[in-house]
């Protein structure tokens, strides 16, 4: 009987609310005893190790589009993983993936490409320790839940939730199975973002007061292409388009809210210990009119049917989040207008502030009064130990190297089967911003309260992101 | 019988809702017929000119603290005004004022310094055409109303309202007396702000979508001093302090909201034609905790009683305003933490954006894709005609020269007794942000609707700010 069936049987026979044991087993009970409180009955005497025949972490991939293949490339560079299988309904994605294995001189994976649900066959048939999910947004949570239900250490790409119920389902699945969920928010590992975390923890800014962040990225050539080439200039989206435009753009057509909050909010959550001594309490969102995508399409071909569409997503959505410890977080979403890229970070405390848009820091008593310092000298001084150690390993990895740290953290955490630094509660919190933002806008910017996805455990949970130079 | 009594009599004998005629008379009926709709019965056949014995505009001053004296200095530089009287209960302020007249070689004014209400005696006894009010915030509207009731062309310094009723009272007094109210928002005349207005009107940014502004000014050494010297380091405010700290700081102690929105919002209102084809519809405000002033006082003298106080004003207050034409305005208030000065302007449309914090502009098709231009070349190209013409006259005036343009606009508008470029409806709109922001914060960031102070006339009113190179 395969490992998977053992695990599934165990989960099925466990009473609801008790602990599921993952295939890796290693540290799951330690974490789960925290998760489940006093429901742990006994600890297994022998900790299970990785498969006897191979010490490598067996990582499956669901979704091998551009993003999935970028993560896959980082996993293939490592010596401690093998990728026995991938799932994607898109033949071109599978073909590009197979080429990557060829180029890397590695054994080709089994490809599950027989329609949208073939990933379930992969999860049922393959022996896996972990899975990385990089599919379109509407697939994230159902695939994550399927993977957690099979005891896998589950990594999932970022997005925004469609409902609060969806967030709860992720949390509840983690709690009932004991399977870990790692939310793959890569910007948490950006070098400047981690240097600022180091500054925060060294009290450079004093007590934090006000934070800003967002996703300000002109995505017009991501949302549309000519149906043949990615990042080409064109009017197509949906079925007639290629790559992200195939699935991402319909959200701009149909929804109004902060659809993509995590790249800004993830780092900020680490700065102010959200879910670890602090929490988001309520938010308000306000949207502008929607003009950018319409103007863009008119400029390409005013007679194209898509140039006649009315878009629901306001061009700039602003969200204000009130935190339990009295901080405020301002989150921007701005993806439909011409503009240079900026995540718009601002970290402001009683002693001073950092802003990334002007690349500057001001710290009272150190900087000239009422003057900015260039950020670079501060970043060099407070470079995070993790970056200092692995700078060379990360060189050339996606998004300025930060993806290397993300995948490294995922793999190292999965090998130990330990609670991820960005866990299911963080995921639920970040994801819920989208659903709450849509609600707030629909109700004329009315305040919307965050659920406490930790059911009170945020009060005593301790920070575990970026604490060492390991991962 | 003095001019004043004529005027007062006229106002008293006019039916409510009909037109009061100011001493200057010149263009009042043209404006008032717009204000009052169809209630105009007849036009005077002869337009009254300035006093026969002197063609100069007679300007009284209420409040001659630092700010009042700065405006006074600009009036004294001109050849078309005389200042026959000033009112201020502060002997030191009067003494400094008298010295200014001496230094300028001008006849000293009558000083009304006998307590807080002596300005009423000044308004009743002196022959004035106009008045400039630069008193503490709580005096602004009662003094403005007193001046308008006496038919004076009334200029008042900026602040924020304590209630919506207060805003209505200003509007109603203007409408019932016909006296004009010029809201002295100087940043509307800042050179870059006016260049950007020129860019907006030349459609450089396309259709405007999202705007940001605010008052981000470390006022800690304005809010406190040593009781002897202005801008000194000290723990005192209120009666034991000097200058602004005497009256401004108690608002931070007692109120939580955007207490000072106008320097950001004034320019933005011009960009998006607020009250002239557009209007503010609702806002939400969110505050942070209050730490900055407490930390500051602790750092100076932890044993001073003021270092034990709890401050109501959150260190950073953020307000989002939704506009009738679909734009959003983000307004920041940040005066209690160490930081470099910035009004945080951002003007973003379908073709690109300006941000002042990084001194940059990006315009699609002109700028490199996804790259910023330095703002300077844009500002030179779009320098406002008013600045081009009067650059030399403005040199050396307060706040980088913009105060010269403000006072020039006030005097020229008053000489013609015409509707000011920043009128009582604009004032009420800006002022009301403070009251609405306090309400919203008190209600957990609930949305608060703006009154339509124009009672519908915003739909057809046309822009009149900065239309020429005259004023």
């Amino acid at each position: 009987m395969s490992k998977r069936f053992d695990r599934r049987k165990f989960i099925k026979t466990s009473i609801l609310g008790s602990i599921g044991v993952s295939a890796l087993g290693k540290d799951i009970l330690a974490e789960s005893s925290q998760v489940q409180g006093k429901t742990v009955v006994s600890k297994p005497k022998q900790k299970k190790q990785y498969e006897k025949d191979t010490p490598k972490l067996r990582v499956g991939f669901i979704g091998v589009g551009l993003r999935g293949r970028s993560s896959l490339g980082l996993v293939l560079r490592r010596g401690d993983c093998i990728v026995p299988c991938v799932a994607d309904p898109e033949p071109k994605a599978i073909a590009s993936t197979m080429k990557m294995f060829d180029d890397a001189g590695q054994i080709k994976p089994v490809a599950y490409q027989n329609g949208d649900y073939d990933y379930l066959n992969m999860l049922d048939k393959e022996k896996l320790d972990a899975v990385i999910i990089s599919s379109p947004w509407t697939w994230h949570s159902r695939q994550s839940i399927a993977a957690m239900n099979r005891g896998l250490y589950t990594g999932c790409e970022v997005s925004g939730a469609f409902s609060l119920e969806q967030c709860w389902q992720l949390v509840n699945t983690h709690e009932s199975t004991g399977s870990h969920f790692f939310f793959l928010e890569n910007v948490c590992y950006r070098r400047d973002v981690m240097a600022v975390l180091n500054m925060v923890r060294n009290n450079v800014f004093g007590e934090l007061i006000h934070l800003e962040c967002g996703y300000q990225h002109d995505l017009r050539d991501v949302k549309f292409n000519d149906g043949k080439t990615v990042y080409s200039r064109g009017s197509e989206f949906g079925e007639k388009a290629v790559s992200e435009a195939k699935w991402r753009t319909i959200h701009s057509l149909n929804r109004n809210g902060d659809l993509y909050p995590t790249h800004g909010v993830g780092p900020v959550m680490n700065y102010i210990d959200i879910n670890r001594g602090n929490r988001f309490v309520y938010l308000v969102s306000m949207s502008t009119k929607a003009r950018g995508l319409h103007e863009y399409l008119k400029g390409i071909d005013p007679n194209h049917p898509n140039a006649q569409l009315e878009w629901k997503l306001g061009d700039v959505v602003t969200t204000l989040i009130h935190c339990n410890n009295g901080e405020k977080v301002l989150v921007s979403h701005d993806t439909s207008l011409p503009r240079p890229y900026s995540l718009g970070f601002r970290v402001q405390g009683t002693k001073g502030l950092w802003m990334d848009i002007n690349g500057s820091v001001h710290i009272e008593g150190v900087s000239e009064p009422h003057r900015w310092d260039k950020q670079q000298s501060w970043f060099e001084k407070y470079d995070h130990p993790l970056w200092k150690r692995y700078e060379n390993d990360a060189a050339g990895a996606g998004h300025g190297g930060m993806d290397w740290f993300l995948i490294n953290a995922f793999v190292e955490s999965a090998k130990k089967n330990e609670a991820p630094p960005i866990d299911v509660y963080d995921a639920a919190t970040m994801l819920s911003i989208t659903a709450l933002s849509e609600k707030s806008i629909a109700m004329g910017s009315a305040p919307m309260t965050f659920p406490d996805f930790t059911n009170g455990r945020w009060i005593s949970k301790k920070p575990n992101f970026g604490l060492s130079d390991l991962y």
Side-chain angles (χ1 to χ4, degrees), chain A residues 169-220:
Chain A
Q169 226 187 330
L170 285 170
V171 166
N172 293 339
T173 304
H174 159 67
E175 295 198 352
S176 64
T177 62
S179 303
H180 285 299
F181 179 90
F182 193 130
F183 198 45
L184 299 169
E185 178 33 66
N186 58 350
V187 180
C188 292
Y189 293 93
R190 209 171 83 175
R191 191 167 200 163
D192 59 345
V193 160
M194 292 196 81
V196 169
L197 178 63
N198 206 11
M199 291 169 74
V200 168
R201 289 179 174 167
N202 281 281
N203 201 32
V204 171
F205 300 106
E207 182 177 350
L208 294 193
I209 300 289
H210 171 85
L211 301 102
E212 297 185 8
C213 62
Y215 190 64
Q216 305 180 124
H217 189 182
D218 174 2
L219 291 181
R220 294 173 304 162

Side-chain angles (χ1 to χ4, degrees), chain A residues 227-391:
Chain A
K228 292 169 204 136
T229 319
V230 76
Y231 305 135
S232 61
R233 192 170 159 83
S235 305
E236 302 299 347
F237 71 96
E239 279 310 309
K240 291 185 179 172
V242 295
S243 197
E244 269 178 89
K246 238 181 149 74
W247 57 265
R248 184 171 188 153
T249 314
I250 50 163
H251 298 284
S252 303
L253 185 62
N254 291 283
R255 304 166 69 196
N256 194 8
D258 187 330
L259 301 186
Y260 203 58
T262 70
H263 290 325
V265 171
V268 163
M269 285 174 63
N270 285 328
Y271 297 153
I272 51 174
D273 298 328
I274 294 300
N275 294 335
R276 292 162 180 84
N278 197 3
R279 79 176 195 92
F280 290 158
V281 182
Y282 62 86
L283 63 70
V284 289
S285 270
M286 192 180 285
S287 165
T288 66
K289 54 192 163 189
R291 290 290 185 274
L293 301 185
H294 177 69
E295 290 296 317
Y296 181 71
L297 294 171
K298 263 201 331 188
I300 292 174
D301 177 2
N303 298 316
H304 194 286
N306 289 345
Q308 323 311 323
L309 293 172
E310 266 192 48
W311 299 82
K312 284 280 189 301
L313 178 63
D315 289 341
V316 184
V317 174
T318 309
T319 301
L320 304 175
I321 304 176
H322 183 80
C323 305
N324 198 71
N325 293 351
E327 307 89 346
K328 160 165 42 72
V329 183
L330 189 162
V331 192
S332 303
H333 182 266
D334 172 0
T335 63
S336 302
L337 296 171
R339 61 158 300 134
Y341 179 88
S342 166
L343 297 191
F345 284 111
R346 168 165 162 182
V347 175
Q348 183 169 15
T350 51
K351 295 184 179 176
L353 75 166
W354 166 54
M355 294 189 74
D356 72 344
I357 185 68
N358 63 342
S360 294
V361 168
H362 172 83
I363 302 299
E364 183 162 42
V366 184
S367 311
E368 290 289 309
H370 302 280
R371 297 271 172 229
W372 293 108
D373 296 338
K374 297 267 178 212
Q375 64 190 11
Q376 201 47 44
S377 59
W378 286 96
F379 289 171
E380 281 162 17
K381 183 171 176 192
Y382 286 95
D383 197 22
H384 194 279
L386 195 52
W387 268 92
K388 276 190 200 161
R389 177 168 174 175
Y390 288 113
E391 179 176 14

